Amino acid sequence: MGIESPSSRLFQAWGGRSPRAETSTSMERDDNNENMVENGNRELAVVSTSSEHERKVEKMSDSKVLRRLAQNREAARKSRLRKKAYVQQLESSRVRLNQLEQELERARQQGSYAGSSGDNNHPGVAAYDMDYARWVEEQNRQISELRSALAVHVTDNELRVLVDKGMAHYDELFRLKGTAVKADVFHIVSGMWKTPAERCFMWMGGFRPSELLKILIPQIEPLTEQQLLAVCNLQQSSQQAEDALSQGMEALQQNLADTLSTGSLGAPNVSNYVGQMAMAMGKLGTLENFVRQADNLRQQALQQMHRILTTRQAARGLLAMGDYLSRLRALSSLWIARPQD
């Protein structure tokens, strides 16, 4: 048996490991721990950066949503304000229209109504303006009766009575205009007895028959082939007569201009001036004839339509014509009463 040295036993007690090896192992563990810590820090940094990016994206998205919501609220607010202003404007127009109607009624009761905005004191003109105002009132009443009768489907005999009354009412208007033309043809031609919107569509003191037929035809359909042919022929003949009268009016206007411009305008001769005025006054008689012919054309167009149509179609035609003219008058009232900025 050999004798073990103390140093040999000490080596075995250390498990066969030298201090240098243990130190090396410990250093490796420390390095591994440091690497793990470093890797963990990197992962935390990546997670933190990703979370921060997500928060920024979410914050931007929320900002866009909030901005869009704010824009929508502002648009809705402006829309409500516009709607409120429009409703207030309509209400103001309605109130103004009622005031105008009340003022008109007071003027009628006082006997001082004048449809002309000018300063025409001719008694025939003033009488016509008041008569026309009453004519419009009666027409409104008749239109209301026609509308009610058509709504409840009264018999043709009952409806015929209302249609005949309506036709007679238009005949009365042409009779009144004939008297007014003698008093002052310029008053009738200018249309100052009508509302501004009506004057935009005037032709020689009234409506164009051909244009009115265009408005009425869709309201009285369906028409038979025979009726449609008759209406088209009436419209064509009315158009031709209108063109002839318009050409005659243009020629008259040119003749008047030539008569009044004859000679020196800067230094008129008294005798020439008197002669020019006499000639011009004579030509105005032709103007009266043109207006009468235009009214005859209008009256004949209405009468022929009455003969072409059935009783129920004629009732619808009178109703449509009355409503159309009533809307023009209402448009004028709303225009006059509109708010001024």
Side-chain angles (χ1 to χ4, degrees):
M1 294 180 55
I3 300 174
E4 296 180 355
S5 65
S7 60
S8 175
R9 287 195 299 271
L10 180 60
F11 178 81
Q12 290 176 358
W14 278 85
R17 292 176 295 180
S18 67
R20 182 178 297 176
E22 182 66 24
T23 301
S24 177
T25 304
S26 175
M27 291 176 65
E28 291 176 357
R29 285 198 302 270
D30 292 342
D31 290 340
N32 291 336
N33 290 337
E34 290 178 359
N35 291 335
M36 291 176 62
V37 170
E38 185 177 353
N39 291 336
N41 289 337
R42 289 198 191 97
E43 292 176 358
L44 290 174
V46 171
V47 171
S48 176
T49 303
S50 176
S51 299
E52 184 178 356
H53 177 69
E54 290 177 357
R55 285 196 297 272
K56 288 182 179 180
V57 171
E58 183 177 357
K59 186 176 181 180
M60 291 176 61
S61 177
D62 291 343
S63 177
K64 290 181 179 179
V65 171
L66 292 175
R67 187 164 57 251
R68 189 176 296 110
L69 289 174
Q71 291 173 349
N72 292 341
R73 286 195 295 270
E74 180 64 16
R77 186 184 69 84
K78 291 181 178 179
S79 178
R80 289 193 297 271
L81 289 176
R82 287 194 298 268
K83 183 178 180 181
K84 183 178 180 181
Y86 179 71
V87 171
Q88 290 176 345
Q89 182 178 350
L90 289 179
E91 181 63 20
S92 299
S93 298
R94 186 188 65 81
V95 172
R96 179 56 181 160
L97 180 59
N98 290 336
Q99 291 175 349
L100 290 173
E101 291 176 349
Q102 292 173 2
E103 292 173 3
L104 180 61
E105 183 62 28
R106 284 195 297 269
R108 288 173 185 156
Q109 292 175 356
Q110 294 170 0
S112 60
Y113 171 78
S116 172
S117 60
D119 188 18
N120 195 324
N121 295 320
H122 195 290
V125 169
Y128 173 75
D129 288 340
M130 288 188 288
D131 289 338
Y132 179 71
R134 286 190 288 266
W135 185 91
V136 170
E137 288 181 347
E138 176 62 20
Q139 186 195 37
N140 291 336
R141 189 187 64 79
Q142 291 185 5
I143 291 302
S144 178
E145 289 182 351
L146 271 176
R147 183 177 288 107
S148 299
L150 288 170
V152 298
H153 304 287
V154 299
T155 64
D156 285 354
N157 289 334
E158 293 175 307
L159 201 57
R160 187 176 295 108
V161 173
L162 297 178
V163 170
D164 291 342
K165 186 187 299 184
M167 293 297 298
H169 192 55
Y170 276 100
D171 291 339
E172 175 64 13
L173 175 62
F174 294 126
R175 187 191 65 80
L176 292 173
K177 287 179 67 178
T179 303
V181 165
K182 294 179 181 179
D184 185 358
V185 65
F186 288 116
H187 184 68
I188 298 300
V189 171
S190 67
M192 297 308 294
W193 45 284
K194 281 185 170 291
T195 60
E198 289 178 291
R199 289 199 293 270
C200 289
F201 299 91
M202 281 191 65
W203 170 78
M204 290 193 182
F207 59 84
R208 284 182 176 269
S210 61
E211 293 298 326
L212 189 62
L213 290 175
K214 291 179 183 179
I215 296 172
L216 293 182
I217 289 174
Q219 307 298 324
I220 58 180
E221 292 178 339
L223 298 171
T224 65
E225 292 185 6
Q226 184 177 1
Q227 285 179 321
L228 186 58
L229 179 61
V231 171
C232 290
N233 289 335
L234 175 60
Q235 189 172 6
Q236 184 178 3
S237 63
S238 297
Q239 182 67 63
Q240 292 173 350
E242 292 168 16
D243 292 342
L245 285 173
S246 296
Q247 292 173 5
M249 178 68 81
E250 292 175 2
L252 173 62
Q253 291 172 342
Q254 186 61 51
N255 288 335
L256 279 172
D258 292 342
T259 300
L260 295 175
S261 62
T262 300
S264 176
L265 294 175
N269 182 280
V270 175
S271 59
N272 289 341
Y273 178 80
V274 173
Q276 288 172 340
M277 291 299 104
M279 291 178 62
M281 288 291 292
K283 294 181 183 298
L284 290 182
T286 306
L287 177 60
E288 294 181 9
N289 291 333
F290 279 145
V291 175
R292 290 194 186 93
Q293 290 181 50
D295 271 347
N296 288 336
L297 183 60
R298 286 184 270 266
Q299 189 173 19
Q300 290 172 10
L302 288 177
Q303 291 172 350
Q304 290 186 48
M305 282 294 290
H306 185 208
R307 288 191 291 268
I308 293 171
L309 302 177
T310 65
T311 300
R312 202 160 294 273
Q313 287 173 331
R316 293 207 310 269
L318 286 173
L319 177 60
M321 185 163 59
D323 275 346
Y324 173 71
L325 297 176
S326 177
R327 290 179 184 184
L328 285 177
R329 290 191 288 267
L331 178 62
S332 294
S333 298
L334 291 174
W335 175 255
I336 293 171
R338 73 190 187 282
Q340 300 291 332
D341 296 334

